[in-house]
Amino acid sequence: MAKKPVKYCVVDAFADSAFKGNPAAVCFLEEERDDQWLQAVATEFNVPVTCYLTPITNSYHNRFRLRWFTHLNEVKLCGHATLAAAYALFWSGLVDTNIMIEFVTPNGLLTAKKIPPINITSVSDLHEFLIEIDLPAHPVMESNFDETSQISEALPGASIINIKRTQIGNDILVEVKCGKNVTEIQPQFDAIAKWPGRGVIISGIAPPGSGFDFYSRFFCPKDGVDEDHVCGSAHCALASYWSKKLGKCDFNAYQASPRGGVLNLHLDEQNQRVLLRGKAVMVMEGCILV
């Protein structure tokens, strides 16, 4: 029997206009597909992450299985594609907008809810809303990666203040002197791929008057994403790191990639969870026919 076509959409997460933020393909599955097919489709889309939503039967209609794939491999957690998946469900009317969505994922249970605008003045405002997703915080630890020559080779121009490691993501976190320095660095991806762990986060205090607390960028060539446009999971570590540095738990953050993206973060008092808010934009819809 031929497989049913699979509906999909492409959403720009952490953006308030198209072709900004971080794109994700969201695929709506009516039945399970094997991992080879999931990876082949993600490779075909060739966006930073493709995610798959499958309704969970014998449950209320706002619970879904959620998996994430880059064009090379499956990943354990992806913040921007989770936000994109939630936006797609709310935008399409597939879920009740007044009820929290639950995602059953390889990284445990995640939730998402819609936060509508306070003042609605036009029909277009109905699609202008924030999504809040609840993600695990990533504790930051001391790093034993102290090869200055390797760091200088991989991040030329970086004025390094501190080097840490994220416990969950296993990323190297490098604080530099300021947000301007974050934007100036020209990463050498072949050199970064030789570093231990998954990838490297660079971050610095935002410029005065910018409206942000810190800037960041994220490089992950091992997962086939040289520079992530806007990385939600990296901010689960950045929230923990800057909370200790700045003595606060609420942040406005800017990921200074070429596409750029804005995130609002809240770290709970137990340093266990991060509430991450952002906007999203629907870019295209279609069907996978195979």
Side-chain angles (χ1 to χ4, degrees):
M1 180 184 294
K3 296 283 188 179
K4 293 182 179 179
V6 173
K7 293 181 179 180
Y8 76 85
C9 60
V10 175
V11 176
D12 286 342
F14 302 116
D16 56 10
S17 62
F19 315 121
K20 300 290 186 180
N22 205 354
V26 182
C27 301
F28 303 93
L29 301 180
E30 295 184 20
E31 56 188 1
E32 295 290 347
R33 295 291 189 105
D34 61 66
D35 287 4
Q36 184 177 0
W37 185 89
L38 300 178
Q39 185 61 69
V41 169
T43 302
E44 187 78 5
F45 273 120
N46 199 30
V47 294
V49 171
T50 296
C51 66
Y52 300 94
L53 287 168
T54 310
I56 295 178
T57 57
N58 301 320
S59 175
Y60 69 92
H61 65 281
N62 279 22
R63 176 174 279 207
F64 299 83
R65 298 194 188 281
L66 176 61
R67 295 173 69 181
W68 311 277
F69 288 76
T70 73
H71 74 280
L72 290 180
N73 55 266
E74 184 173 11
V75 295
K76 294 181 179 180
L77 179 66
C78 179
H80 93 270
T82 302
L83 186 141
Y87 181 86
L89 289 167
F90 286 130
W91 188 89
S92 63
L94 292 175
V95 298
D96 186 333
T97 59
N98 297 315
I99 298 178
M100 184 177 293
I101 301 172
E102 293 185 347
F103 296 120
V104 178
T105 80
N107 212 292
L109 184 68
L110 307 180
T111 62
K113 65 180 181 180
K114 176 181 177 181
I115 303 175
I118 296 174
N119 297 312
I120 299 178
T121 60
S122 67
V123 173
S124 63
D125 287 340
L126 295 174
H127 293 313
E128 292 289 331
F129 53 85
L130 286 168
I131 298 290
E132 180 180 272
I133 55 177
D134 183 346
L135 301 174
H138 290 197
V140 175
M141 308 172 63
E142 294 300 322
S143 173
N144 57 7
F145 182 57
D146 57 0
E147 294 293 334
T148 305
S149 61
Q150 279 188 264
I151 296 173
S152 299
E153 178 187 1
L155 302 175
S159 297
I160 298 170
I161 292 176
N162 209 349
I163 302 172
K164 298 289 186 179
R165 179 174 64 86
T166 68
Q167 184 176 356
I168 296 177
N170 195 27
D171 298 316
I172 302 298
L173 195 162
V174 179
E175 181 190 353
V176 297
K177 68 177 182 180
C178 63
K180 185 174 184 294
N181 191 213
V182 170
T183 66
E184 293 170 337
I185 292 168
Q186 299 294 320
Q188 304 300 304
F189 300 117
D190 288 344
I192 290 173
K194 298 175 184 177
W195 285 24
R198 179 183 65 155
V200 57
I201 307 164
I202 60 172
S203 188
I205 290 287
S210 67
F212 298 104
D213 294 292
F214 59 84
Y215 283 9
S216 69
R217 293 168 72 187
F218 179 57
F219 313 120
C220 195
K222 290 181 181 178
D223 276 347
V225 182
D226 285 346
E227 178 164 5
D228 201 326
H229 303 300
V230 193
C231 183
S233 61
H235 281 81
C236 292
L238 288 165
S240 297
Y241 181 77
W242 287 110
S243 180
K244 293 180 180 178
K245 291 275 293 191
L246 301 179
K248 57 190 291 188
C249 59
D250 292 289
F251 305 95
N252 287 317
Y254 179 67
Q255 187 144 341
S257 69
R259 287 173 63 112
V262 176
L263 310 90
N264 178 263
L265 311 166
H266 172 75
L267 178 68
D268 70 11
E269 294 181 356
Q270 292 75 37
N271 196 19
Q272 298 285 321
R273 310 294 297 181
V274 174
L275 294 179
L276 191 156
R277 290 183 176 183
K279 290 185 176 181
V281 178
M282 183 70 66
V283 177
M284 64 182 72
E285 297 179 284
C287 286
I288 302 167
L289 302 177
V290 295

